[in-house]
Amino acid sequence: MAEDSLRTSGLSFGLAVVLNGDDKKDNPVKNRLISCRNDIDQQSLERALEHIFNLRHGALGLLKNPLDAGVVRSIIKKHFSAVYPDSNGCSESRDGFCMVGNCLTSIIGIEESSICGDLQINKHPLILESLTIFSSARANACVWRGKWMYEVILETAGIQQLGWATRSCPFTDRMGVGDADNSYAFDGRREKKWNKEDETYGQPWVVGDIIGCCIDLDEDEILFFRNGISLGVAFSGIRKMPPGSGYFPAISLSQDEKCDLNFGSRPFKYPVTGFLPLQSMPHVCALASQLLQSLSRLLELQRTESAEFNSLGRLGRLKRFVPLEDIFIPVALAICEEFFNILDKEVESTEYVAWGPFLSFLMEVFGLQAPHDFSSLDRVLDLFLQFRSSNLLFQHLINALSSGCKTASLVLTECPHSGSYCYLALACHLLRREELMILWWKSPEFEFLFEGFLSRKSPNKHDLKFLIPSVWWPDSYEDVSLESSMMLTTMALSSAIEKIEEKHRDLCCLVLRFIPPVTPLQLPGSVFRTFLQNLLLKSRGDHNFPSRAILRNPVLVSVYAVVLHFLSEGFPLSDICGWSKGCKGNKSDIGFLHQGGLQRFPIALFLKNDSHRVDIPRLGGSFNHLAKTHPVYDKEQEVVSWEEGCMDDEESKVTHFTRHKPCCCSCNVSDPAKTYCDPTKSNLKGSRGHSASAPESSSHCNSGNLNDEIIDKPSSSDHSYSHAEYRPVQHMRIVPTETMFSSAMLGEEELLDAMLLLYHIGVAPNLKKASTYLSNQSQSISQLEEIDRQMKEGPCGELQKRLKEARNICREEVIDCIRHSTWYRIALLARWKQRGMYAACMWTVQLLLILSKDDVLFSFVPEFYLETLVDCFHVLRKSDPPFAPSAIFIKQGLTSFVTFVVTHFNDPRISSADMRDLLLQSISVLVQYKDFLVAFETNVAATNIMPRALISAFDNRSWMPVTNVLLRLCKGSGFGSSKHGETSTSSVIFQRLLRDACTKDDELFAIFLNHLFNILSWTITEFSVSVREMQEKYQASHTFSLIMCLTLLCGTIFLIPAPVSEFQLRKSSVVFDLSCNLARILEFCTREVPQAFLLGTDMNLRRLAEVVVFILSQMILATDSDFFEMAVRRHGNMLEKVNRGLILAPLAGILLNLLDSSMVPSGSKQNDIIGIFASMDCPDTVLCGLQCMLEYNWAGFSKGNVHFSKLRQLEEFSSLLISEMSSRDPERSELGYEAETNDSTCCICYIQEADAQFFPCLHKSCFGCITRHLLNCRRFKHEDWTVLLARRQKWRITEFLNFGRGEAQLIFDSRVWSVIAVYLLQCFLIKELSELMNLAMFLSLSLVTEGGWVAADYVESSMC
């Protein structure tokens, strides 16, 4: 291979060895490169031929005839006779193997009679695709002795069962390989092996993996390999089979799954030592290999002779072979003639030779890494293309190169020229010749091969361990040296991906320039347009493409990167046959997205009844519906034009021609090369060690206004040679720039349209995965830090061991998430891509704003325009390191985005509610951040439209995102809100605007209040019902069995009822949060618009009072404290964040706002607040709720920010309310006094029966009040005081609590055991057998003590 032909200053490796005097024994042939200085000079021709054909010294006597092709062919036939195929062409017999059925040829394929289901078969190469739910098939050959293998290239990575099966294995629509006896399979999607039953085995596979299926019938074993790495023995002791009835290669595919089978018709990519291919190697392969090796040595001699030896003076004393100009042509022609002669005699062997010896030969000549030897490769191509038979050879070669791109994996030690780079580089140079480009284009598999070239294999979890071996993150306990190691790794991988993407662009440029030889004449770009259209159709699963419906996602990502580079960075070629707009005039170095000035867009892209686009959802509905209701055929030829920035205010306008440049072209954009970035959070850029010799077209918007040294800008070439050596495209026809076909040219606007769709269906899913890994990474790091904190406290025994195990698991999760997130950043978010994404956002949002002026045109806009715009915007916003500082991210280029989202989140012309919600959610996210909130406050459209639109959008569907927006705008203004941090996102401007919107439109505000009351009542009801269901399930279990869960985040033992599901807990927590948010919105209304409750009819005030009382009754009185905390506590929340203050605070704020406003004199009569609350049907609930508000620990809830004067105001309100109630019902005072003196009534709430008792102090109260008191108040300071809560209607032991150190733990000491003994005796005497069983089950659980975990037998012995 090329890496073995190392050159030193133009000298071959063998010549360098001779000069150095080393390795003479290891390189006997290459040591004869130099003739001696004696009298054998007249035989230099014979010595040269001996070297070329690798013959022994003196094998050739003195040639009698002049050297020509005939003489050379006679030498080949004479000395290569040992490797010539037999004249009769008989195949050698191989023991333990046979073919079955009517096999007219010796080619192994699929036995058609074995097919079950619907398999589409492509025979060259042998690609199978399942078109039904489950399809299975066997090969037409079996083995019963020896060691055999075949390879499977995964075109998809879903459920496939690959392996071996006997003829007796039944195939059905539900059963396949591995589902019956005598059949064995491996499925990498599920990571299982199958032989009737499944077991865990292997690694997850990805698209492009090569699975080696091996069977060893000598040891009775079956094993599998993934990309040449053994997965271990899968099955052993398989049954022996008689001759002629052995094991067949067999596969089963689920629907739309596809794979490429290689039984040996092509060389194995990863051969396994000792295992034979089922298809024997062609006999001509050995001779073809020797001929190509001879030609390689001839080229090596030519390179040696043409090299300059100025630096090595002693070469002048060395005599050379005969001048190669005299022998190169006859020798090379003779080799090629003999090569094609043997291929013509055995045509079926051409595929094997092309995929094997010929591909290896070209790789060796060309070189695996830059700099490549273009001159030698061109000379070889000139030789081979003289022969007619070369078409078939090069056709198979193109197939081999495409397959190599799909299956090549990145190798860290080979970076930056790793992965598919070498295949792409060779393909790009081959396809610069018109005859080879036409040969490829005429192939029926042109688009399939093109997709293969653009494939890039994605690594799985196991692959990333080798690609990113060192992982480090800030504040970790990992070795500090891992930081620099990870940085170097990411730089190497970034550089490798840049090289591959560069070759993708080179290949696409060749296709763009190609003009197919058809009539009528087609324009440049027509072939690429057709490919792009069909690619998008297949990716959407179009019914016209059943055989290619499942497309590999990396292809979409690669095409997206190519198109984005064309539009953003400019075309690498100065002119693509005159059709590129970006190559006109003085803008030849500016990308289309950065040109600025007058923008144009053809309306036909939206309005044309094109089969490629008609099924795409539009903002106004389906295309067919819109075409019937809004005929626009007269507008198809129109072009929309606008001036950049025309939709922005003059003061805030930022364009490519203003003084302040957009972020994509501004020097303010942070340069990752100048500041160190956390390797776990940033995409480290590639090394500059392989920069291009020729500068790439710049994406500068104006010279002098953009940083000229952008480190991450992709190079247009990695060649260290001049462009004069780069072979020009041959015989390309030139089409004039201005022709009658100009309207049919592929324009940048069409590429932009395709790029947005490629992002939507290809890039966005990958970015969502990256976001998931980032989220998991953050959570796992937090958990790891908490575990480390607990381990520092020095736990002993079993707990220490469990913590170490948990830490190891958590650490592996962190490392895995960091590897995946780093990979996604490297592959998807290079700096130049972010610049292009930002410019595309600017272009798209301005287009949408222009089209929104026309109702008909706006309704025809595809939905993916909007989805891509929003997703791309937020990806850039969340990028780390930031693409641009948040202060200028919107201000310098995307103020139009704010204008668009605020004017269209409630636009009725957008038929899809999901699209409107998407815009509304964007607003909800942005207003959380101070810098982005400023962009809304300074945007004219936002201040004029958004307040009223938010209120009107508060309906049965959009109330949740609207609530989030309103809450963030009003945050920090309510009772008990923190003065630090929370108020940073509140907006005084929008609070005033919301108040004005409510006061100016009474009808709109009345509708808003009605929805708010209804939804708040519904959420409170849902929460109450959810908690009640959990209580009922807990009580219906007939036992108080408890699950003790160790919560790592707070280090506390919580007692959770077993029947409660995770879904119920999550539901109750979400509903509680929504209730709190809605209550805050209601509090804001009472503060800003109090007249709506105090003036006029008292309906609003009465409904408000009903909602407040209803919340108090449901949240304070009816909910048991245990279940309340369990219901509202989300996973990861600290215990101190779970309290009733979240709902009590807005209720208190509502009352205080009304009381404050009632004190302000007004010209009209105000409604009686106290009278309305006193008239409620449940006065006891009102009083109890007010009492709970007053007794709540507000100082701890709001960090000391509650004014106690407000609490005194509530006390006065409570006193006035009691007086009002007493005046309305004089008997209440007597009843209230009796209740206070009655021992059977709870002394805390004065409502419930005192059915629970403290032990050992014997105080009584109701069960709910006691549990709330103990869990919210830490007044018991005794170190060993155990409290037993008992006698709730019946004597029941419910829990044991120790508050000595403020932790809830179960401890058992002598006094507790004595209490249990007394209780057991009482239960026995009163025949409470069910209670005895409950207690026994409770005590049989493992219990936490000071010393660790206590076994159940210890508890049982203690009870005895």
Side-chain angles (χ1 to χ4, degrees):
M1 297 297 288
E3 60 264 31
D4 297 328
S5 59
L6 179 66
R7 305 179 186 90
T8 305
S9 301
L11 299 180
S12 71
F13 183 77
L15 182 56
V17 169
V18 172
L19 296 178
N20 295 330
D22 298 328
D23 200 19
K24 295 182 179 179
K25 294 183 180 179
D26 296 336
N27 298 274
V29 176
K30 293 186 178 181
N31 286 346
R32 296 199 302 272
L33 279 172
I34 309 302
S35 299
C36 300
R37 297 178 56 196
N38 53 19
D39 55 354
I40 66 171
D41 203 28
Q42 67 276 13
Q43 293 188 12
S44 59
L45 173 61
E46 290 75 10
R47 303 293 80 78
L49 293 176
E50 290 172 357
H51 166 72
I52 292 171
F53 294 108
N54 197 24
L55 304 178
R56 62 179 177 80
H57 183 73
L60 293 178
L62 185 64
L63 295 179
K64 299 179 180 180
N65 298 321
L67 186 68
D68 57 13
V71 173
V72 176
R73 292 188 66 180
S74 64
I75 294 175
I76 294 174
K77 290 182 179 181
K78 177 180 179 180
H79 294 277
F80 286 6
S81 58
V83 293
Y84 263 85
D86 296 337
S87 57
N88 54 15
C90 296
S91 300
E92 59 177 352
S93 60
R94 296 188 293 172
D95 190 23
F97 166 85
C98 73
M99 298 184 66
V100 297
N102 271 331
C103 297
L104 300 179
T105 66
S106 59
I107 298 177
I108 299 177
I110 296 297
E111 184 182 1
E112 295 187 1
S113 61
S114 69
I115 297 176
C116 177
D118 188 359
L119 277 177
Q120 179 172 315
I121 303 176
N122 182 2
K123 295 185 178 180
H124 297 289
L126 188 57
I127 297 178
L128 276 63
E129 181 177 2
S130 174
L131 304 181
T132 56
I133 296 178
F134 203 60
S135 303
S136 302
R138 291 188 304 268
N140 59 355
C142 67
V143 294
W144 64 89
R145 186 185 301 116
K147 302 165 72 172
W148 308 88
M149 71 172 291
Y150 68 98
E151 284 187 340
V152 181
I153 302 176
L154 301 180
E155 298 287 338
T156 58
I159 296 178
Q160 304 183 29
Q161 294 174 202
L162 315 175
W164 302 83
T166 63
R167 187 180 290 276
S168 63
C169 175
F171 291 157
T172 68
D173 58 349
R174 297 293 178 183
M175 295 182 61
V177 185
D179 296 325
D181 288 333
N182 299 328
S183 66
Y184 308 88
F186 165 55
D187 180 3
R189 175 62 182 268
R190 293 172 286 188
E191 297 182 65
K192 293 182 181 296
K193 59 181 180 180
W194 300 79
N195 177 234
K196 290 191 70 175
E197 303 294 335
D198 63 274
E199 296 181 31
T200 301
Y201 173 81
Q203 301 174 359
W205 57 33
V206 297
V207 174
D209 275 348
I210 297 181
I211 306 301
C213 304
C214 303
I215 185 169
D216 185 351
L217 295 169
D218 297 333
E219 300 293 335
D220 299 330
E221 293 178 343
I222 292 178
L223 58 161
F224 297 91
F225 290 76
R226 175 178 176 263
N227 300 327
I229 300 175
S230 176
L231 302 178
V233 176
F235 306 99
S236 57
I238 62 176
R239 195 177 73 173
K240 292 284 188 181
M241 300 298 294
S245 177
Y247 289 95
F248 294 77
I251 63 168
S252 296
L253 307 176
S254 59
Q255 189 166 13
D256 295 326
E257 290 302 310
K258 186 167 53 178
C259 65
D260 181 356
L261 300 180
N262 181 17
F263 298 115
S265 61
R266 294 161 284 162
F268 285 154
K269 180 77 172 180
Y270 301 102
V272 180
T273 304
F275 288 83
L276 298 177
L278 297 173
Q279 182 83 49
S280 59
M281 183 179 67
H283 295 284
V284 301
C285 184
L287 178 57
S289 298
Q290 288 207 16
L291 291 173
L292 293 174
Q293 290 172 9
S294 299
L295 185 57
S296 178
R297 285 187 287 270
L298 177 62
L299 293 169
E300 189 72 19
L301 282 177
Q302 184 190 37
R303 284 193 293 265
T304 303
E305 186 176 79
S306 61
E308 297 178 0
F309 304 112
N310 296 332
S311 60
L312 299 174
R314 54 178 165 166
L315 284 176
R317 301 191 304 270
L318 300 177
K319 301 217 176 187
R320 310 186 183 192
F321 295 128
V322 67
L324 286 181
E325 288 80 0
D326 299 337
I327 68 171
F328 182 86
I329 296 299
V331 173
L333 282 177
I335 292 175
C336 291
E337 288 174 359
E338 197 64 26
F339 178 81
F340 284 106
N341 181 50
I342 61 175
L343 290 183
D344 291 341
K345 292 180 179 179
E346 195 172 336
V347 178
E348 61 272 11
S349 64
T350 305
E351 180 183 13
Y352 192 97
V353 173
W355 284 67
F358 188 58
L359 177 59
S360 299
F361 163 70
L362 292 182
M363 283 292 185
E364 183 177 359
V365 172
F366 185 62
L368 291 175
Q369 298 184 352
H372 300 292
D373 190 348
F374 287 89
S375 59
S376 296
L377 180 62
D378 286 333
R379 195 155 191 179
V380 169
L381 295 179
D382 291 337
L383 284 170
F384 279 85
L385 289 174
Q386 297 178 30
F387 298 86
R388 285 187 176 183
S389 303
S390 64
N391 283 352
L392 181 60
L393 180 70
F394 279 101
Q395 183 175 342
H396 285 301
L397 176 66
I398 294 173
N399 293 348
L401 291 173
S402 176
S403 178
C405 293
K406 289 188 292 187
T407 59
S409 301
L410 283 175
V411 179
L412 184 60
T413 55
E414 297 176 359
C415 291
H417 303 92
S418 183
S420 59
Y421 171 83
C422 57
Y423 300 100
L424 284 168
L426 179 58
C428 287
H429 193 72
L430 292 176
L431 296 174
R432 296 184 72 83
R433 293 176 175 262
E434 186 181 30
E435 58 266 44
L436 293 182
M437 175 63 81
I438 294 175
L439 181 67
W440 178 35
W441 173 73
K442 287 184 176 180
S443 169
E445 297 293 327
F446 167 75
E447 292 187 357
F448 177 71
L449 297 176
F450 200 0
E451 293 169 13
F453 282 122
L454 296 175
S455 298
R456 189 175 66 202
K457 192 173 178 182
S458 300
N460 65 5
K461 177 179 179 179
H462 298 274
D463 300 329
L464 286 176
K465 291 182 179 179
F466 297 97
L467 285 179
I468 311 177
S470 302
V471 175
W472 180 90
W473 63 96
D475 301 325
S476 66
Y477 291 96
E478 307 297 321
D479 189 353
V480 180
S481 62
L482 298 178
E483 179 182 5
S484 58
S485 177
M486 185 177 181
M487 184 188 303
L488 294 175
T489 299
T490 53
M491 291 174 63
L493 293 177
S494 298
S495 181
I497 291 176
E498 287 176 9
K499 303 304 177 189
I500 293 173
E501 291 179 342
E502 173 194 335
K503 292 306 172 184
H504 285 164
R505 295 193 295 271
D506 291 346
L507 181 63
C508 290
C509 279
L510 292 173
V511 178
L512 280 167
R513 296 183 59 168
F514 175 63
I515 303 175
V518 295
T519 304
L521 182 66
Q522 295 187 16
L523 297 173
S526 60
V527 175
F528 188 77
R529 170 193 278 157
T530 303
F531 166 75
L532 200 57
Q533 291 174 345
N534 293 336
L535 177 73
L536 295 173
L537 274 178
K538 288 180 283 187
S539 64
R540 302 202 313 268
D542 189 84
H543 63 278
N544 294 321
F545 292 87
S547 63
R548 298 287 185 264
I550 301 301
L551 188 71
R552 292 180 298 276
N553 187 269
V555 178
L556 301 176
V557 176
S558 297
V559 179
Y560 159 80
V562 168
V563 177
L564 178 63
H565 186 274
F566 285 171
L567 296 177
S568 176
E569 306 299 311
F571 288 85
L573 302 175
S574 60
D575 184 15
I576 297 184
C577 299
W579 68 270
S580 173
K581 295 181 182 178
C583 299
K584 294 182 180 179
N586 59 357
K587 293 185 178 182
S588 60
D589 61 339
I590 301 177
F592 167 75
L593 295 175
H594 300 279
Q595 290 178 10
L598 184 64
Q599 313 283 0
R600 299 176 182 272
F601 191 85
I603 301 302
L605 286 176
F606 295 158
L607 304 182
K608 188 181 295 185
N609 187 10
D610 191 342
S611 60
H612 295 87
R613 307 176 56 86
V614 69
D615 61 333
I616 297 177
R618 311 303 174 99
L619 293 181
S622 67
F623 180 87
N624 293 330
H625 171 73
L626 292 173
K628 293 177 181 178
T629 56
H630 302 89
V632 287
Y633 301 109
D634 57 329
K635 296 185 178 182
E636 288 188 6
Q637 302 301 323
E638 293 184 6
V639 175
V640 175
S641 61
W642 69 96
E643 195 70 28
E644 183 189 19
C646 65
M647 302 303 294
D648 298 331
D649 303 330
E650 287 297 328
E651 297 179 357
S652 61
K653 180 186 297 186
V654 175
T655 70
H656 291 80
F657 297 102
T658 56
R659 185 171 62 89
H660 294 290
K661 303 300 175 186
C663 288
C664 56
C665 304
S666 173
C667 297
N668 292 327
V669 177
S670 59
D671 189 346
K674 297 179 180 179
T675 57
Y676 168 73
C677 303
D678 174 13
T680 69
K681 297 183 179 180
S682 62
N683 178 19
L684 295 179
K685 304 305 179 284
S687 171
R688 298 287 290 173
H690 302 278
S691 59
S693 60
E696 186 189 72
S697 58
S698 171
S699 66
H700 299 180
C701 300
N702 255 334
S703 60
N705 292 319
L706 180 68
N707 185 4
D708 293 335
E709 298 297 332
I710 300 178
I711 194 70
D712 186 53
K713 191 167 185 177
S715 61
S716 62
S717 174
D718 193 18
H719 311 138
S720 60
Y721 46 85
S722 65
H723 276 269
E725 296 182 73
Y726 206 37
R727 187 181 187 90
V729 181
Q730 293 183 348
H731 312 299
M732 284 295 184
R733 288 164 288 176
I734 303 299
V735 178
T737 304
E738 299 295 336
T739 67
M740 59 182 296
F741 306 107
S742 59
S743 61
M745 287 184 179
L746 176 63
E748 289 94 337
E749 297 86 354
E750 189 174 351
L751 286 177
L752 175 62
D753 176 82
M755 187 198 73
L756 296 178
L757 184 55
L758 286 168
Y759 179 95
H760 176 62
I761 61 181
V763 180
N766 284 282
L767 291 173
K768 290 179 180 178
K769 292 180 182 179
S771 179
T772 301
Y773 279 112
L774 281 174
S775 177
N776 294 340
Q777 171 185 325
S778 178
Q779 294 179 7
S780 299
I781 290 177
S782 299
Q783 293 178 4
L784 188 62
E785 291 173 350
E786 181 61 26
I787 295 175
D788 290 336
R789 183 190 64 79
Q790 294 186 26
M791 294 182 66
K792 287 182 179 179
E793 296 177 357
C796 56
E798 188 70 18
L799 183 57
Q800 177 76 5
K801 179 180 178 182
R802 291 175 182 268
L803 286 174
K804 289 182 179 180
E805 294 175 355
R807 189 188 189 282
N808 292 334
I809 295 174
C810 193
R811 179 179 176 273
E812 289 300 320
E813 292 177 355
V814 171
I815 292 176
D816 181 59
C817 290
I818 290 176
R819 285 190 174 119
H820 278 91
S821 58
T822 302
W823 168 256
Y824 279 115
R825 285 194 186 93
I826 294 172
L828 301 177
L829 293 176
R831 203 65 179 176
W832 71 266
K833 294 179 183 177
Q834 294 185 44
R835 292 195 302 272
M837 291 165 65
Y838 190 94
C841 285
M842 291 180 56
W843 218 98
T844 305
V845 73
Q846 293 183 51
L847 171 64
L848 293 178
L849 284 173
I850 294 297
L851 295 178
S852 65
K853 295 181 177 181
D854 188 313
D855 293 345
V856 176
L857 294 181
F858 186 70
S859 62
F860 276 89
V861 175
E863 287 185 354
F864 70 80
Y865 270 64
L866 192 149
E867 293 178 279
T868 299
L869 169 66
V870 174
D871 188 81
C872 191
F873 174 88
H874 289 290
V875 167
L876 293 173
R877 176 185 62 82
K878 296 186 295 184
S879 63
D880 194 355
F883 170 70
S886 58
I888 65 171
F889 179 77
I890 292 179
K891 183 179 179 181
Q892 291 188 204
L894 286 177
T895 54
S896 298
F897 181 83
V898 175
T899 303
F900 181 77
V901 295
V902 299
T903 54
H904 293 86
F905 75 86
N906 200 29
D907 191 343
R909 295 177 298 176
I910 301 178
S911 62
S912 173
D914 292 335
M915 295 296 101
R916 297 196 301 270
D917 288 347
L918 185 64
L919 298 178
L920 193 55
Q921 290 166 5
S922 295
I923 299 175
S924 176
V925 171
L926 292 176
V927 296
Q928 296 181 66
Y929 304 95
K930 186 176 181 179
D931 291 332
F932 297 144
L933 182 58
V934 171
F936 280 82
E937 292 176 338
T938 56
N939 187 280
V940 176
T943 55
N944 291 338
I945 299 174
M946 191 169 73
R948 192 179 189 282
L950 286 173
I951 297 174
S952 61
F954 191 86
D955 53 19
N956 293 332
R957 174 182 174 83
S958 302
W959 65 269
M960 290 180 64
V962 172
T963 299
N964 292 332
V965 176
L966 293 175
L967 181 68
R968 287 170 173 86
L969 294 177
C970 305
K971 199 171 184 179
S973 60
F975 177 82
S977 297
S978 173
K979 301 299 181 182
H980 306 284
E982 290 187 351
T983 57
S984 61
T985 58
S986 62
S987 174
V988 177
I989 295 176
F990 276 105
Q991 290 176 19
R992 174 178 54 80
L993 294 173
L994 287 170
R995 180 190 63 203
D996 294 343
C998 294
T999 55
K1000 291 179 180 179
D1001 194 336
D1002 295 337
E1003 182 179 357
L1004 178 63
F1005 184 61
I1007 297 174
F1008 170 75
L1009 273 183
N1010 181 56
H1011 287 153
L1012 182 58
F1013 287 140
N1014 294 338
I1015 295 173
L1016 181 55
S1017 299
W1018 173 79
T1019 56
I1020 293 297
T1021 302
E1022 284 293 313
F1023 177 76
S1024 179
V1025 170
S1026 179
V1027 174
R1028 192 175 299 114
E1029 288 176 353
M1030 288 189 287
Q1031 288 177 310
E1032 291 174 355
K1033 285 188 177 183
Y1034 180 78
Q1035 294 172 356
S1037 63
H1038 304 293
T1039 178
F1040 285 96
S1041 301
L1042 302 177
I1043 298 176
M1044 289 182 280
C1045 297
L1046 178 61
T1047 305
L1048 298 177
L1049 292 178
C1050 57
T1052 305
I1053 303 297
F1054 288 97
L1055 308 179
I1056 301 180
V1060 179
S1061 66
E1062 181 66 25
F1063 173 77
Q1064 287 177 305
L1065 295 175
R1066 187 165 59 251
K1067 173 187 173 183
S1068 60
S1069 175
V1070 171
V1071 173
F1072 177 76
D1073 290 343
L1074 292 174
S1075 302
C1076 296
N1077 295 341
L1078 291 168
R1080 282 293 186 187
I1081 301 301
L1082 189 56
E1083 180 190 9
F1084 170 79
C1085 294
T1086 58
R1087 181 172 64 88
E1088 296 295 335
V1089 197
Q1091 62 271 21
F1093 305 93
L1094 298 178
L1095 301 179
T1097 177
D1098 63 352
M1099 182 185 65
N1100 288 339
L1101 180 59
R1102 190 169 295 277
R1103 290 200 64 183
L1104 176 65
E1106 290 174 353
V1107 168
V1108 171
V1109 173
F1110 180 68
I1111 294 175
L1112 291 174
S1113 63
Q1114 297 296 322
M1115 305 294 293
I1116 305 301
L1117 301 179
T1119 304
D1120 192 350
S1121 176
D1122 297 332
F1123 288 96
F1124 175 84
E1125 293 190 353
M1126 179 177 58
V1128 302
R1129 185 175 188 272
R1130 284 187 176 182
H1131 177 70
N1133 284 355
M1134 301 301 291
L1135 181 61
E1136 56 268 17
K1137 293 185 178 181
V1138 179
N1139 52 59
R1140 298 169 186 266
L1142 296 174
I1143 191 65
L1144 289 179
L1147 298 182
I1150 290 172
L1151 296 176
L1152 291 171
N1153 290 336
L1154 294 177
L1155 293 175
D1156 291 339
S1157 299
S1158 63
M1159 297 178 184
V1160 178
S1162 60
S1164 303
K1165 181 181 179 181
Q1166 295 185 353
N1167 297 320
D1168 185 4
I1169 302 175
I1170 296 177
I1172 290 179
F1173 273 91
S1175 64
M1176 294 291 104
D1177 296 333
C1178 47
D1180 293 335
T1181 301
V1182 176
L1183 294 177
C1184 184
L1186 289 174
Q1187 189 65 25
C1188 288
M1189 286 185 188
L1190 295 173
E1191 293 182 354
Y1192 188 75
N1193 183 17
W1194 292 109
F1197 168 76
S1198 59
K1199 301 180 181 179
N1201 292 310
V1202 172
H1203 297 287
F1204 289 96
S1205 60
K1206 296 292 185 180
L1207 296 180
R1208 288 194 294 270
Q1209 194 174 354
L1210 279 180
E1211 291 178 356
E1212 295 175 0
F1213 174 74
S1214 179
S1215 301
L1216 293 174
L1217 190 58
I1218 293 174
S1219 300
E1220 179 67 20
M1221 290 179 178
S1222 300
S1223 64
R1224 296 189 180 203
D1225 188 2
E1227 298 180 358
R1228 283 191 55 82
S1229 59
E1230 298 179 3
L1231 293 175
Y1233 177 76
E1234 292 175 0
E1236 291 179 3
T1237 58
N1238 189 356
D1239 291 340
S1240 63
T1241 303
C1242 176
C1243 61
I1244 297 178
C1245 65
Y1246 300 103
I1247 297 176
Q1248 304 294 338
E1249 179 184 359
D1251 59 353
Q1253 189 175 25
F1254 285 97
F1255 281 91
C1257 64
L1258 303 179
H1259 288 99
K1260 292 183 178 181
S1261 179
C1262 69
F1263 182 79
C1265 288
I1266 282 185
T1267 52
R1268 281 197 302 274
H1269 179 74
L1270 290 177
L1271 295 179
N1272 293 329
C1273 182
R1274 306 290 192 221
R1275 296 184 180 178
F1276 297 95
K1277 303 299 183 183
H1278 301 286
E1279 196 66 28
D1280 58 349
W1281 185 6
T1282 300
V1283 178
L1284 174 64
L1285 301 181
R1287 194 172 179 77
R1288 186 183 183 187
Q1289 297 178 351
K1290 290 185 178 181
W1291 281 93
R1292 295 183 184 273
I1293 292 184
T1294 57
E1295 56 186 338
F1296 297 89
L1297 301 174
N1298 177 281
F1299 293 92
R1301 292 180 301 278
E1303 299 179 354
Q1305 288 185 342
L1306 289 175
I1307 70 167
F1308 282 75
D1309 56 18
S1310 58
R1311 285 173 293 174
V1312 177
W1313 287 116
S1314 63
V1315 172
I1316 293 176
V1318 173
Y1319 176 66
L1320 287 172
L1321 178 61
Q1322 182 187 18
C1323 292
F1324 179 77
L1325 293 176
I1326 62 176
K1327 298 182 180 180
E1328 272 286 320
L1329 299 180
S1330 62
E1331 181 64 4
L1332 281 171
M1333 295 177 62
N1334 291 344
L1335 182 64
M1337 293 182 65
F1338 170 72
L1339 294 176
S1340 64
L1341 297 174
S1342 298
L1343 304 174
V1344 178
T1345 67
E1346 295 286 334
W1349 295 87
V1350 179
D1353 56 351
Y1354 172 79
V1355 177
E1356 293 174 358
S1357 63
S1358 301
M1359 290 178 63
C1360 294

